[in-house]
Amino acid sequence: MNNAKGIVFKFGDNVDTDVIIPDTIEGHPVTKIGENAFKNKFKIPSITIPDSVTSIGSSAFQGCNALTSIVIPAG
């Protein structure tokens, strides 16, 4: 039985701050960044990804022109 739960958050077009993805949301681990998750969010300067993320969908950061830093765990 698969009890996986998907939680989707939408970011507005004018996001211009660093993004820190939490390792849990509503008590569920964040394990995936979906396809196109941040696509064309032109102003995001950096994104921090937690250890819990094991999968990043295609084009997740496409068009993030201001993105200069992606912090990922050492593993």
Side-chain angles (χ1 to χ4, degrees):
M1 180 190 272
N2 184 352
N3 290 325
K5 179 178 180 181
I7 298 173
V8 177
F9 284 91
K10 301 272 186 192
F11 288 90
D13 289 333
N14 295 322
V15 175
D16 62 355
T17 186
D18 297 332
V19 173
I20 300 173
I21 299 171
D23 57 356
T24 61
I25 297 175
E26 297 176 6
H28 298 278
V30 175
T31 60
K32 180 177 182 180
I33 298 172
E35 290 183 15
N36 305 313
F38 296 96
K39 185 175 183 178
N40 295 328
K41 303 302 182 209
F42 303 110
K43 299 179 183 180
I44 296 174
S46 77
I47 295 176
T48 300
I49 300 171
D51 291 346
S52 60
V53 172
T54 58
S55 173
I56 299 175
S58 66
S59 302
F61 304 106
Q62 180 180 344
C64 293
N65 299 339
L67 190 59
T68 59
S69 172
I70 297 178
V71 179
I72 57 174

